[in-house]
């Protein structure tokens, strides 16, 4: 079982709604990520947080607003989304220093994802 | 622009055979390459990592090769089982951008009993 917990597992929202996706990890990781995945496509990076500060924003529209209130939590606030934003949203975490050793401490751990449907 | 291609969107093989998945990359000089497994509706799970100076890496029934001249990695599952059915994703990673994982398109493997 993954050690990255995402809630809710499913969310249906209207285009005028405001909702949030939540992510939590207790592995002591100081890097956290949001990915978006459409059907039959690989996950695409949206945001990276390092030490609770936004370090990478892959040109994501402002209707997606990330927040990292502390080292264990990551939120994705959603507002005025479009139907094409419907997808699986994956949270992930990792140690800050990703090296090249074989042990799994150098990799990125993904949560189970939150299925978002915008109607 | 950088491109990662995984051969065949879908691969069907008979139980007990060896599955071979291919990952080709262009306009990359990865320091290492990772392979992940993803089951339907779930997040990817890390399987193996291979460094640019390593030719081969093994873990139980899994074997990964990395040819930086051909710009290709091969992922083998020996003695395949129906439980190996999943989508397999490769992610070549340049040093300094380890946190910006970019995945290949994935290969959906089905192992038939």
């Amino acid at each position: 079982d993954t050690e990255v917990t995402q809630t809710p597992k499913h969310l249906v929202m209207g285009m005028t709604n405001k909702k949030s996706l939540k992510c939590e990890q207790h592995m002591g990781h100081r890097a956290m990520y949001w990915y978006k995945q459409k059907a039959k496509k690989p996950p695409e990076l949206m945001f990276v947080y390092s030490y609770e500060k936004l370090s990478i924003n892959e040109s994501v529209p402002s209707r997606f607003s990330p927040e990292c209130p502390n080292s264990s939590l990551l939120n994705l606030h959603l507002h005025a989304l479009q139907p094409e934003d419907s997808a699986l949203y994956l949270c992930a975490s990792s140690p800050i220093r990703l090296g090249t050793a074989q042990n799994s401490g150098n990799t990125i751990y993904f949560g189970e994802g939150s299925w978002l449907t915008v109607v | 622009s950088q491109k990662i291609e995984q051969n065949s969107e879908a691969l069907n093989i008979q139980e007990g055979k060896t599955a071979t998945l291919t990952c080709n990359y262009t306009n990359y000089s990865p320091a290492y390459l990772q392979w992940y497994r993803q089951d339907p509706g779930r997040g990817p799970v890390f399987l193996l990592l291979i460094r640019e100076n390593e030719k081969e890496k093994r873990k139980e029934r899994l074997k990964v090769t990395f040819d930086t001249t051909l710009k290709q990695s091969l992922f083998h599952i020996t003695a395949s089982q129906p439980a190996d059915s999943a989508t397999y994703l490769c992610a070549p990673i340049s040093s300094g951008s380890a946190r910006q994982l970019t995945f290949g398109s994935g290969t959906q493997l089905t192992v038939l009993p």
Side-chain angles (χ1 to χ4, degrees):
Chain A
D1 286 338
T2 180
E3 295 177 74
V4 177
T5 305
Q6 291 188 241
T7 55
K9 289 199 179 340
H10 297 272
L11 177 63
V12 179
M13 61 185 289
M15 290 189 282
T16 57
N17 290 162
K18 279 186 184 180
K19 296 285 185 183
S20 298
L21 304 179
K22 297 186 183 300
C23 175
E24 189 168 1
Q25 57 89 14
H26 294 288
M27 294 180 281
H29 292 164
R30 301 304 295 275
M32 295 188 76
Y33 313 74
W34 281 113
Y35 282 79
K36 173 182 176 180
Q37 186 173 25
K38 301 281 276 185
K40 296 194 182 301
K41 297 287 187 186
E44 293 181 356
L45 183 64
M46 299 174 72
F47 302 105
V48 181
Y49 272 81
S50 302
Y51 294 112
E52 296 86 68
K53 289 191 175 6
L54 183 64
S55 60
I56 296 172
N57 176 342
E58 294 283 1
S59 303
V60 179
S62 60
R63 57 186 185 269
F64 295 92
S65 174
E67 178 198 19
C68 191
N70 61 53
S71 59
S72 300
L73 295 175
L74 185 67
N75 299 323
L76 186 63
H77 302 298
L78 313 169
H79 175 54
L81 296 193
Q82 304 295 311
E84 58 264 29
D85 296 321
S86 299
L88 177 67
Y89 287 84
L90 293 161
C91 174
S93 72
S94 76
I96 275 290
R97 285 195 172 75
L98 284 173
T100 60
Q102 191 59 235
N103 69 62
S104 60
N106 287 282
T107 188
I108 294 178
Y109 289 80
F110 286 84
E112 298 281 359
S114 293
W115 287 97
L116 174 67
T117 303
V118 182
V119 298
Chain B
S1 63
Q2 294 176 332
K3 195 188 276 189
I4 310 164
E5 291 178 317
Q6 293 188 240
N7 72 323
S8 53
E9 274 189 27
L11 178 65
N12 295 337
I13 63 163
Q14 210 63 41
E15 182 176 5
K17 301 291 187 187
T18 296
T20 298
L21 286 62
T22 304
C23 176
N24 294 296
Y25 56 91
T26 53
N27 296 323
Y28 259 104
S29 295
Y32 56 109
L33 190 146
Q34 295 187 346
W35 283 88
Y36 285 76
R37 168 185 174 142
Q38 186 173 25
D39 291 287
R42 308 188 76 155
V45 175
F46 170 78
L47 294 175
L48 275 172
L49 175 156
I50 186 166
R51 282 169 271 192
E52 61 179 335
N53 61 351
E54 296 175 323
K55 296 291 185 200
E56 182 180 297
K57 191 66 81 173
R58 290 177 185 262
K59 179 183 175 183
E60 297 171 356
R61 294 184 295 110
L62 309 180
K63 184 178 86 171
V64 171
T65 62
F66 194 10
D67 189 326
T68 54
T69 303
L70 292 178
K71 294 187 182 295
Q72 180 182 81
S73 175
L74 299 179
F75 178 82
H76 307 272
I77 306 175
T78 57
S80 60
Q81 304 165 0
D84 295 326
S85 299
T87 295
Y88 292 86
L89 301 157
C90 70
I93 301 166
S94 303
S95 56
S97 63
R99 283 196 285 282
Q100 289 176 271
L101 265 191
T102 300
F103 291 97
S105 48
T107 296
Q108 186 176 341
L109 174 68
T110 302
V111 180
L112 303 166

